[in-house]
C-alpha cells in the first residue's frame, strides 16, 4: 500500500445530525459567450493567503455582521479539472464542475500545444462536445453534425453549409464559450467565466501554487476520484484528523490505530482566518492551509527553515471540487523528497489501490451524514453537532467560513436543482470504475492489461488440457509427466480466478464493513 496513505485523508466530524448544503440558489448562469477567451500562459505562481486572525475567546459561530468581510465570489476563482497525466491529448474529456458541464481538450495547433476548456455543448443543437473527437487538423469536432472549432471557440467549418454560400460559420452564434485555462503544478485549471473581459485573468489572479510539486528534488503521486457526497462534507472530512484511526481501521497500519483523544488532545489553532481561507499550525511544527474554495494542503512534519539542512518532507495536497448537490470530486497530489526510488519500480495504479480503499471506508458514512445535515437545516449545523475538542478546530473554522462568507451555500455556476440525489445501493455508492478507474490513465491501462492476462491464463489452461488429450499416448507417457501437465493447467485456471477477484475488488467494487475491522 502507498506509504503516503498513512497520512491520507482526515475525514468526518463527530456530529450526530449535521447538515449539508441545502442546495444553493444559483448565481446568474454564464452567458454563452460568442467570442471565446484564449487561455493565457501562466505568469509567476502565487499562493492565495487569508488574513485577519479571529479574536481570542470569540464565539466561532458569531461571524460578525452580514457582509462584514465580504461575500465569497465563487465565480471569481480557479477550479482544477484533472491532473494532466490523466488527460489523453487524443480525445476530449467531459467534466462537471460547479454545476457547469465543461470539456477539456488538447489544442496541438497552439504553439507547443495547450489544453483548452470549453462549454460542453455544441452551439448547433447543444450536443455534448465531450463525445466528439480531435480531427486531423487539430480542431475539436462535434460528432453529431461535424461542426469544428478552433482553440478560441470559433467555428471553423460547418459541413452542411454550401461552399459558395454565405459564411454562416463566422456568425457569433456558431461559436462555443471558451474559458481561461492554465496548467499549473501539472494540473489543468479553468476560470468559470467566459468572454473577452476575462481572458487576462491570470495577470490578476492565479490558482494556488504548491512549490514542492514543481521542485525537481520531489516526486509526486497524483489521483482523482468522484464521490457521492457534497463539497462541504468532503472539505470538513479532510480537515478532521481524529477520525483516521477509526474510520480507516485496518488500512492505516497499527501505528495509527489508537485513540489520540484518549491519550492526549490534538492541539490545533486557527490563524489568518478570512474570506480567502485560514491557516492551522500543528503542535508538532507541521501546518495545514485552506485556500478557498478548493485547495487544502500542508504537512504533518515540521517546516523546512531557511538555511536549515534538508529534511525529509511529505506534502498532502487535496483539491476539493464542487460538482453538484450531493456530488464532489477530490484531486490529490502527494509530493515527497524521500523514497524517490519507489516511483521507479511502483506504478501509480498500485498506490491508488490503498488510496481508494481509504476513500471507500468512509464513503457510506459521509453519504448518510450529509443527509442528516440536510435534515437538520443548513443554518443549524452548530446546534445539531457537538464539537467540544481541539481536534475539531479546522472543521469548525471551515463551517464558520462557509456560513459567514457563503451563507452555507455553494455558488453554482449554472442553474442547479436544489435536491440531494437518492441514495443508491452500496455497490453503486462505492463503485470504483466510473468514479476513478475510467478517469485514471494508469488504472485504466492496468485494468486492460490484467483483463488480457486473465483471458490468456484461461486460454492457456484449456490449451494445456487439450495438449494432454492429444499427446497422452505420444509425448506425455509417464504418470509424472501427466501430473505435471495437469498441475500446470490447474495453476493457470486458479491464477485466472484469483486475478478476476483482484480486478473486481480493486477496479470495480469492494465493500468495507467497519464492524469486522
Amino acid at each position: 500500500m502507498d506509504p503516503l496513505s498513512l497520512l491520507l485523508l482526515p475525514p468526518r466530524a463527530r456530529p450526530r445530525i449535521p447538515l449539508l448544503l441545502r442546495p444553493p440558489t444559483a448565481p446568474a448562469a454564464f452567458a454563452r459567450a460568442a467570442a471565446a477567451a484564449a487561455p493565457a500562459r501562466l505568469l509567476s505562481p502565487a499562493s492565495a493567503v487569508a488574513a485577519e486572525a479571529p479574536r481570542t475567546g470569540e464565539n466561532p459561530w458569531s461571524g460578525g455582521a452580514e457582509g462584514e468581510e465580504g461575500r465569497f465570489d465563487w465565480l471569481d476563482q480557479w477550479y482544477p479539472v484533472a491532473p494532466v497525466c490523466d488527460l489523453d491529448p487524443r480525445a476530449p474529456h467531459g467534466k462537471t464542475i460547479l454545476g457547469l458541464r465543461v470539456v477539456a481538450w488538447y489544442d496541438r495547433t497552439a504553439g507547443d500545444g495547450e489544453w483548452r476548456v470549453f462549454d460542453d455543448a455544441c452551439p448547433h443543437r447543444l450536443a455534448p462536445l465531450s463525445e466528439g473527437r480531435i480531427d486531423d487538423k487539430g480542431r475539436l469536432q462535434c460528432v453529431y453534425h461535424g461542426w469544428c472549432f478552433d482553440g478560441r471557440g470559433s467555428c471553423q467549418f460547418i459541413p452542411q453549409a454550401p461552399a459558395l454560400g454565405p459564411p454562416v460559420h463566422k456568425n457569433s452564434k456558431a461559436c462555443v464559450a471558451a474559458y481561461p485555462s492554465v496548467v499549473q503544478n501539472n494540473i489543468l485549471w479553468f476560470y468559470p467565466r467566459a468572454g473577452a473581459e476575462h481572458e487576462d485573468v491570470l495577470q490578476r489572479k492565479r490558482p494556488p501554487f504548491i512549490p514542492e510539486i514543481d521542485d525537481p528534488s520531489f516526486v509526486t503521486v497524483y489521483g482523482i476520484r468522484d464521490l457521492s457526497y457534497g463539497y462541504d462534507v468532503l472539505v470538513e472530512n479532510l480537515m478532521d484528523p481524529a477520525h483516521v484511526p477509526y474510520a480507516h481501521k485496518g488500512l492505516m497500519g497499527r501505528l495509527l490505530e489508537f485513540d489520540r483523544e484518549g491519550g492526549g488532545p490534538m492541539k490545533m489553532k486557527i490563524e489568518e482566518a478570512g474570506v480567502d481561507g485560514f491557516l492551522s499550525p500543528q503542535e508538532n511544527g507541521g501546518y495545514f492551509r485552506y485556500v478557498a474554495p478548493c485547495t487544502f494542503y500542508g504537512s504533518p512534519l515540521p517546516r523546512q527553515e531557511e538555511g536549515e539542512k534538508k529534511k525529509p518532507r511529505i506534502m498532502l495536497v487535496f483539491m476539493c471540487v464542487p460538482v453538484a448537490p450531493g456530488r464532489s470530486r477530490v484531486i490529490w497530489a502527494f509530493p515527497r523528497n524521500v523514497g524517490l526510488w519507489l516511483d521507479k519500480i511502483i506504478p501509480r495504479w498500485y498506490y491508488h489501490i490503498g488510496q481508494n480503499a481509504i476513500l471507500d471506508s468512509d464513503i457510506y458514512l459521509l453519504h448518510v451524514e450529509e443527509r442528516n445535515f440536510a435534515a437538520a437545516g443548513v443554518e443549524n449545523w452548530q446546534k445539531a453537532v457537538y464539537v467540544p475538542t481541539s481536534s475539531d478546530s479546522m472543521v469548525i473554522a471551515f463551517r464558520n467560513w462557509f456560513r459567514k462568507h457563503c451563507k452555507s451555500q455553494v455558488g453554482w455556476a449554472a442553474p442547479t436543482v436544489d435536491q440531494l440525489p437518492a441514495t443508491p445501493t452500496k455497490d453503486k455508492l462505492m463503485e470504483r470504475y466510473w468514479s476513478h478507474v475510467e478517469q485514471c490513465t494508469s488504472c485504466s491501462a492496468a485494468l486492460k492489461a490484467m483483463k488480457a492476462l486473465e483471458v490468456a491464463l484461461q486460454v492457456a489452461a484449456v490449451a494445456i488440457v487439450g495438449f494432454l488429450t492429444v499427446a497422452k499416448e505420444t509425448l506425455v507417457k509417464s504418470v509424472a509427466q501427466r501430473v505435471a501437465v495437469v498441475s500446470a493447467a490447474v495453476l493457470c485456471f486458479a491464477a485466472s480466478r484469483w486475478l478476476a477477484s483482484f480486478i473486481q475488488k480493486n477496479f470495480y467494487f469492494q465493500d468495507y464493513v467497519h464492524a469486522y475491522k
Side-chain angles (χ1 to χ4, degrees):
M1 189 174 78
D2 175 13
L4 293 178
S5 66
L6 293 176
L7 303 170
L8 183 59
L9 297 184
R12 101 188 207 302
R14 279 278 179 93
R16 244 166 269 140
I17 302 187
L19 122 220
L20 166 89
L21 50 79
R22 189 168 36 214
T25 24
F30 294 131
R32 289 178 162 281
R41 288 284 186 183
L42 180 65
L43 303 177
S44 59
S47 189
V49 181
E52 188 171 330
R55 291 188 295 270
T56 305
E58 181 182 38
N59 181 342
W61 298 103
S62 61
E66 189 62 46
E68 178 181 312
E69 295 183 43
R71 289 295 303 278
F72 183 76
D73 188 350
W74 288 84
L75 301 186
D76 188 28
Q77 311 297 331
W78 287 89
Y79 291 88
V81 178
V84 172
C85 59
D86 287 325
L87 294 173
D88 185 347
R90 300 171 300 174
H93 303 268
K95 301 286 183 185
T96 300
I97 300 171
L98 209 64
L100 189 70
R101 292 172 60 94
V102 298
V103 56
W105 66 286
Y106 189 70
D107 178 12
R108 67 174 185 265
T109 67
D112 295 331
E114 288 187 16
W115 283 98
R116 311 290 193 182
V117 179
F118 285 5
D119 193 16
D120 192 12
C122 178
H124 176 216
R125 298 264 292 280
L126 305 186
L129 292 171
S130 55
E131 292 297 316
R133 64 174 67 92
I134 312 299
D135 73 2
D136 55 3
K137 294 183 179 180
R139 304 172 299 191
L140 177 62
Q141 183 183 71
C142 176
V143 293
Y144 194 22
H145 293 91
W147 287 33
C148 297
F149 305 91
D150 67 10
R152 297 183 61 86
S154 300
C155 184
Q156 297 297 299
F157 179 58
I158 298 178
Q160 296 78 23
L164 300 179
V168 292
H169 68 280
K170 294 185 178 180
N171 191 295
S172 62
K173 291 185 177 180
C175 297
V176 62
Y179 302 102
S181 58
V182 67
V183 173
Q184 179 173 282
N185 287 148
N186 300 313
I187 292 171
L188 175 62
W189 298 76
F190 91 107
Y191 182 82
R193 280 175 168 154
E197 67 272 27
H198 300 297
E199 64 182 23
D200 295 327
V201 64
L202 272 172
Q203 297 179 21
R204 174 180 64 83
K205 188 183 188 78
R206 301 181 264 294
F209 178 71
I210 312 297
E212 287 84 355
I213 293 179
D214 285 355
D215 189 329
S217 66
F218 283 70
V219 295
T220 302
V221 176
Y222 295 90
I224 184 171
R225 177 90 183 257
D226 283 4
L227 301 165
S228 298
Y229 47 84
Y231 158 84
D232 56 331
V233 175
L234 169 61
V235 176
E236 73 164 42
N237 180 49
L238 294 174
M239 292 181 178
D240 172 24
H243 83 286
V244 173
Y246 311 105
H248 307 314
K249 185 174 173 62
L251 298 174
M252 310 298 285
R254 292 184 177 274
L255 290 175
L256 287 181
E257 292 187 4
F258 59 89
D259 189 343
R260 282 291 303 273
E261 287 295 339
M266 293 180 177
K267 295 179 181 178
M268 295 183 185
K269 56 183 178 179
I270 304 298
E271 298 177 355
E272 302 179 14
V275 68
D276 294 321
F278 54 84
L279 171 68
S280 178
Q282 306 292 296
E283 60 179 327
N284 62 350
Y287 76 100
F288 285 96
R289 182 180 289 279
Y290 170 61
V291 182
C294 295
T295 309
F296 179 64
Y297 70 95
S299 175
L301 304 178
R303 302 189 199 213
Q304 181 85 38
E305 300 297 335
E306 191 173 347
E308 191 178 17
K309 185 180 178 182
K310 198 165 190 178
K311 291 180 179 178
R313 189 145 178 77
I314 297 173
M315 288 282 294
L316 304 178
V317 182
F318 299 101
M319 290 146 196
C320 308
V321 184
V323 173
R327 302 284 178 186
S328 61
R329 179 177 303 116
V330 61
I331 297 170
W332 64 87
F334 296 156
R336 70 181 192 274
N337 64 358
V338 293
L340 306 186
W341 60 273
L342 287 171
D343 275 23
K344 297 179 180 179
I345 60 173
I346 299 178
R348 192 162 61 104
W349 64 263
Y350 186 79
Y351 288 118
H352 290 174
I353 289 176
Q355 291 159 354
N356 275 311
I358 291 170
L359 289 168
D360 281 346
S361 62
D362 55 24
I363 280 180
Y364 186 74
L365 300 176
L366 298 172
H367 181 86
V368 174
E369 180 180 281
E370 178 177 39
R371 277 136 186 83
N372 291 337
F373 286 174
V378 67
E379 69 285 354
N380 296 320
W381 188 90
Q382 75 277 19
K383 297 177 183 178
V385 305
Y386 181 51
V387 283
T389 66
S390 175
S391 64
D392 294 311
S393 295
M394 281 195 288
V395 173
I396 293 172
F398 167 70
R399 283 292 174 182
N400 194 24
W401 173 86
F402 197 43
R403 177 193 59 81
K404 184 175 183 179
H405 300 292
C406 308
K407 292 187 176 179
S408 298
Q409 297 177 343
V410 173
W412 303 107
T416 304
V417 177
D418 184 15
Q419 185 176 347
L420 293 176
T423 298
T425 56
K426 208 171 182 183
D427 60 331
K428 290 184 173 60
L429 191 65
M430 297 169 61
E431 69 82 26
R432 289 190 189 178
Y433 181 78
W434 293 107
S435 65
H436 171 73
V437 174
E438 188 269 341
Q439 302 182 68
C440 174
T441 54
S442 180
C443 288
S444 56
L447 176 60
K448 185 177 180 180
M450 288 182 194
K451 282 186 170 180
L453 178 58
E454 180 191 354
V455 172
L457 288 169
Q458 292 174 351
V459 170
V462 173
I464 290 171
V465 171
F467 169 76
L468 179 63
T469 304
V470 172
K472 66 180 180 180
E473 299 299 333
T474 54
L475 299 176
V476 185
K477 296 181 179 180
S478 70
V479 173
Q481 289 176 326
R482 290 176 185 174
V483 169
V485 172
V486 170
S487 297
V490 170
L491 284 174
C492 285
F493 181 76
S496 74
R497 294 299 81 212
W498 177 87
L499 189 56
S501 175
F502 181 87
I503 288 171
Q504 175 64 22
K505 289 179 179 179
N506 293 292
F507 296 97
Y508 290 98
F509 167 73
Q510 182 174 16
D511 199 2
Y512 183 94
V513 183
H514 292 81
Y516 300 129
K517 299 297 181 180

